[in-house]
């Protein structure tokens, strides 16, 4: 198992991995997709963490460090797109991704990390609790645009 930041050549594998998240198709490769991918890669506060097994990306998460004017002008981190390939679940690939996200957030001086999930699956929720997240401190609201 290899844990690392995403490389420019990982786009295709990541898009395929996202089919195991909630996507039902891979976006068309066009100038907009390539520009968005480059924007993510160029942003020092945007971290795409991948876990590889046998040269194949099997798990990933995104950690974005967000500058902030409160809490002593300390940033916070937002974790999103936590996903593991269906055929690799339950084998310990996502935990190192979340651990790396925590390391990045701590190194950036973040005072908190936030993670939202749409899953109601008790095993998924238990996984996040075991990783150190709780659902008691904040109430999340989402407005889809």
């Amino acid at each position: 198992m290899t844990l690392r930041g995403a490389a420019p050549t990982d786009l295709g594998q990541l898009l395929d991995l996202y089919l195991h998240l909630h996507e039902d198709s891979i976006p068309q490769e066009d100038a907009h997709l390539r520009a968005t991918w480059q924007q993510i890669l160029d942003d020092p506060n945007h971290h795409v963490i991948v876990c590889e097994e046998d040269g194949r990306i099997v798990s990933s998460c995104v950690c974005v460090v967000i500058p902030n004017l409160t809490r002593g002008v300390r940033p916070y981190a937002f974790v999103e797109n936590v996903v593991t390939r269906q055929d690799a679940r339950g084998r310990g690939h996502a935990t190192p991704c979340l651990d790396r996200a925590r390391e990045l957030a701590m190194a950036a001086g973040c005072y908190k990390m936030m993670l939202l999930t749409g899953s109601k699956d008790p095993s998924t929720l238990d996984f996040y609790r075991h990783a150190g997240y709780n659902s008691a401190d904040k109430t999340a609201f989402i407005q889809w645009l």
Side-chain angles (χ1 to χ4, degrees), residues 79-90:
V79 176
E80 184 62 276
N81 295 338
V82 180
V83 60
T84 300
R85 294 182 64 84
Q86 188 72 34
D87 60 358
R89 290 184 182 160

Side-chain angles (χ1 to χ4, degrees), residues 41 83 85 94 106 134:
L41 292 170
V83 60
R85 294 182 64 84
M106 290 175 67
N134 76 71

Side-chain angles (χ1 to χ4, degrees), residues 81-135:
N81 295 338
V82 180
V83 60
T84 300
R85 294 182 64 84
Q86 188 72 34
D87 60 358
R89 290 184 182 160
R91 300 200 331 244
H93 295 101
T95 297
C97 291
L98 291 179
D99 289 346
R100 178 66 55 87
R102 182 175 43 252
E103 292 167 5
L104 291 165
M106 290 175 67
C110 293
Y111 76 94
K112 72 176 177 182
M113 296 177 70
M114 294 186 297
L115 179 150
L116 298 174
T117 181
S119 177
K120 306 295 184 218
D121 181 339
S123 65
T124 300
L125 302 179
D126 286 343
F127 168 72
Y128 290 133
R129 285 186 194 99
H130 186 271
Y133 294 88
N134 76 71
S135 58

Side-chain angles (χ1 to χ4, degrees), residues 1-2 51-58 88 91 93:
M1 179 170 32
T2 303
C51 180
E52 274 185 329
E53 185 176 67
D54 299 324
R56 177 177 79 148
I57 295 174
V58 295
R91 300 200 331 244
H93 295 101

Side-chain angles (χ1 to χ4, degrees), residues 15-74:
L15 294 175
D16 182 61
L17 179 64
Y18 290 158
L19 292 173
H20 297 264
L21 183 62
H22 52 66
E23 297 298 313
D24 56 11
S25 65
I26 293 174
Q28 178 181 344
E29 181 155 344
D30 59 13
H32 178 64
L33 176 67
R34 287 188 299 276
T36 300
W37 179 233
Q38 192 61 54
Q39 181 180 5
I40 290 168
L41 292 170
D42 290 344
D43 183 347
N45 289 320
H46 201 136
H47 307 276
V48 180
I49 302 158
V50 299
C51 180
E52 274 185 329
E53 185 176 67
D54 299 324
R56 177 177 79 148
I57 295 174
V58 295
S59 189
S60 180
C61 76
V62 172
C63 177
V64 180
V65 175
I66 301 168
N68 182 39
L69 296 175
T70 66
R71 302 287 181 149
V73 195
R74 291 177 63 198

